Amino acid sequence: MKIAIEGCMHGDLDNVYKTIQHHEQIHNTKVDLLLCCGDFQAVRNEKDMDSLNVPRKYKDMKSFWKYYSGQEVAPIPTIFIGGNHEASNYLWELYYGGWAATNIYFLGYAGVVKFGNLRIGGLSGIYNKHHYRSGHFERPPYNESTIRSVYHVREYDVQKLMQLEEPLDIFLSHDWPVGITDYGDSKALIQHKPYFRKEIEERTLGSKPAALLLEKLKPQYWFSAHLHCKFAAAVQHGNDGSVTKFLALDKCLPGKKFLQIIEIESEPGPFEILYDEEWLAITRKFNSIFPLTGRNANFSAAGMDIKESREWVRKKLEERQFKPFEFARTVPAYNPSQRIFDSIPETPQNPQTMSLLELLGLPYLLDSSPVSGERTEIPASPAPSDYPMHDSEEIPIDDIEEIEEAKADESTREEA
């Protein structure tokens, strides 16, 4: 199986897909899967821009809306996680994961899926110690504070991932596990990015929760982005001989090392993205303590036995052959010739999320009050039909406008 890994997408789906297709043509090969390590920017329309935390000069529709509307279809199955530049209102609709567009799957705030016989996990967002032990208290429309805190990693989602016992083949995170520079050429990294030196020495470059997950999960591969450079490392885990191959990649720009293609042994195709039984059993167990205010979860109250939960989930998934629920549009897509109306619900209930929760026997909680945690009544989403469709090589590209590189000190890290 050939897998393309991409660093920060920043909405440039057209260019990334064209680059992969060019590689396929000149090498007479076929890429089976694209993995994106965050800053995907799944912006569907102008209103989504209100939830995208980027400097004003970078607020642009880019190309995701074409795939959301159906004007274009992703030529390669694509799995992505969230970073710190996202249409956070849309990703909240798909908190548990789901199709962001046809053939483009969001792993959720945390998630695991299967692709063929590979098991792929991921954690969205970036680490910030001030919000790590908070609940998910942010709701659209976001203010100047919550538009940033909404993408900060939460302990609740990390603890769900820490429950995994079965082996993972691949893990995705946006920021790097802290300490990963110990296992690669840190001297060359500092030479390329001199302002990393202080954070490397102080053990603050990267995410502490990601480091915990790396130590616990020991995946065969770990891919990241965020810091806009390429960095490779190999982490030896104790005495069991297992090794995690780490790779961070750049953003999609001319001359940048933003794309890598690897080959992994797998069963013969065709391949498709499927639900993971163990992960959904964990999701079912932990949903009762889903923290939806500023307070953290009460982890001791997650009382359901995971074995019992798993047996229940397995029966439900077998009925639909483990296939995710179908993609559905919940808001109109961008139309270059016509502005959208402002009457779109701030938090529409995504049919995929509703169907998954119904399958798992769980209540819908994403519209709960960020103060009390109680549910608030909101209008149901229009039917999908109400929003019609619009009629291991490094591969640089040279047809994208150059964007100045973000500084990497603490004050500007979230602009990366």
Side-chain angles (χ1 to χ4, degrees):
M1 182 189 301
K2 286 186 182 284
I3 300 176
I5 303 97
E6 198 272 336
C8 298
M9 180 71 78
H10 289 297
D12 283 322
L13 282 74
D14 285 351
N15 285 313
V16 170
Y17 289 135
K18 287 176 184 176
T19 304
I20 294 172
Q21 289 173 324
H22 176 69
H23 170 83
E24 291 177 326
Q25 291 169 2
I26 63 175
H27 292 281
N28 192 27
T29 188
K30 176 62 180 172
V31 172
D32 299 293
L33 177 67
L34 170 63
L35 301 176
C36 176
C37 303
D39 286 354
F40 195 78
Q41 293 184 207
V43 176
R44 302 165 293 178
N45 53 42
E46 303 97 322
K47 192 171 179 62
D48 282 354
M49 290 286 194
D50 295 338
S51 300
L52 178 68
N53 183 37
V54 296
R56 185 176 298 275
K57 62 182 177 179
Y58 297 145
K59 288 206 170 186
D60 186 11
M61 285 303 302
K62 298 292 187 174
S63 58
F64 173 77
W65 66 270
K66 301 177 188 176
Y67 299 85
Y68 179 79
S69 70
Q71 179 178 319
E72 300 285 349
V73 176
I76 305 162
T78 301
I79 296 174
F80 75 96
I81 56 167
N84 56 305
H85 298 308
E86 305 292 355
S88 298
N89 59 328
Y90 187 27
L91 298 193
W92 182 245
E93 283 183 35
L94 297 171
Y95 168 83
Y96 300 92
W99 299 108
T102 300
N103 220 25
I104 299 176
Y105 193 89
F106 173 49
L107 264 182
Y109 277 53
V112 180
V113 295
K114 288 188 175 179
F115 187 75
N117 63 324
L118 295 184
R119 201 162 181 241
I120 301 169
L123 176 67
S124 291
I126 61 172
Y127 173 65
N128 182 302
K129 65 181 180 181
H130 300 296
H131 295 114
Y132 181 59
R133 289 191 166 85
S134 298
H136 289 285
F137 62 87
E138 302 87 354
R139 303 287 184 278
Y142 305 112
N143 60 33
E144 293 255 335
S145 175
T146 58
I147 198 173
R148 291 174 172 81
S149 65
V150 67
Y151 52 71
H152 290 158
V153 167
R154 304 301 155 92
E155 184 180 23
Y156 172 73
D157 302 303
V158 173
Q159 284 300 318
K160 287 168 65 181
L161 289 164
M162 291 288 284
Q163 307 306 306
L164 292 167
E165 296 294 339
E166 295 182 359
L168 276 180
D169 298 287
I170 296 172
F171 196 87
L172 308 178
S173 68
H174 189 55
D175 47 358
W176 306 6
V178 70
I180 195 68
T181 51
D182 294 347
Y183 301 93
D185 192 346
S186 59
K187 290 183 179 179
L189 177 64
I190 292 171
Q191 186 175 10
H192 179 52
K193 302 270 192 178
Y195 37 83
F196 284 4
R197 180 186 296 275
K198 185 172 184 290
E199 290 176 87
I200 290 174
E201 291 174 350
E202 294 178 350
R203 312 293 286 183
T204 57
L205 185 75
S207 166
K208 291 181 180 179
L212 292 174
L213 288 168
L214 173 60
E215 182 181 4
K216 167 67 165 63
L217 302 177
K218 302 179 176 64
Q220 185 179 357
Y221 295 93
W222 186 298
F223 302 120
S224 298
H226 190 44
L227 298 183
H228 295 169
C229 62
K230 181 178 180 180
F231 181 77
V235 181
Q236 179 84 42
H237 298 289
N239 299 320
D240 64 359
S242 63
V243 176
T244 295
K245 298 176 183 178
F246 173 84
L247 180 67
L249 292 167
D250 209 329
K251 54 186 173 181
C252 178
L253 284 176
K256 301 290 186 179
K257 298 174 181 178
F258 70 92
L259 196 65
Q260 189 92 9
I261 296 176
I262 64 170
E263 188 161 4
I264 298 180
E265 287 188 15
S266 68
E267 298 173 350
F271 310 110
E272 60 181 326
I273 296 169
L274 298 174
Y275 286 137
D276 182 84
E277 178 187 307
E278 184 187 21
W279 176 249
L280 291 187
I282 292 168
T283 297
R284 185 166 181 261
K285 175 179 178 179
F286 272 73
N287 207 63
S288 64
I289 59 167
F290 192 172
L292 291 157
T293 68
R295 297 186 298 274
N296 197 4
N298 178 11
F299 294 107
S300 63
M304 186 187 304
D305 179 66
I306 190 67
K307 183 178 179 181
E308 174 191 339
S309 177
R310 184 157 184 175
E311 290 173 355
W312 193 93
V313 166
R314 182 184 303 123
K315 293 177 182 178
K316 293 291 184 178
L317 290 178
E318 285 174 349
E319 294 173 5
R320 58 175 296 106
Q321 299 179 304
F322 292 81
K323 293 183 178 181
F325 290 94
E326 294 74 18
F327 165 66
R329 283 177 293 280
T330 55
V331 299
Y334 172 68
N335 185 334
S337 62
Q338 181 181 354
R339 288 187 59 81
I340 64 166
F341 297 103
D342 291 331
S343 58
I344 299 171
E346 290 289 353
T347 315
Q349 295 176 346
N350 195 294
Q352 294 178 79
T353 301
M354 301 290 285
S355 296
L356 175 61
L357 292 172
E358 183 179 352
L359 179 78
L360 297 178
L362 299 175
Y364 183 89
L365 301 173
L366 299 181
D367 55 5
S368 300
S369 165
V371 177
S372 67
E374 297 178 355
R375 290 200 59 197
T376 54
E377 293 299 324
I378 63 170
S381 299
S385 59
D386 292 346
Y387 300 130
M389 295 167 61
H390 292 345
D391 298 8
S392 161
E393 297 91 352
E394 299 163 9
I395 311 174
I397 60 175
D398 57 9
D399 58 350
I400 310 175
E401 183 180 355
E402 185 69 52
I403 300 176
E404 65 181 2
E405 190 171 288
K407 293 180 181 179
D409 57 76
E410 185 65 26
S411 64
T412 58
R413 175 77 73 220
E414 293 195 5
E415 294 184 8

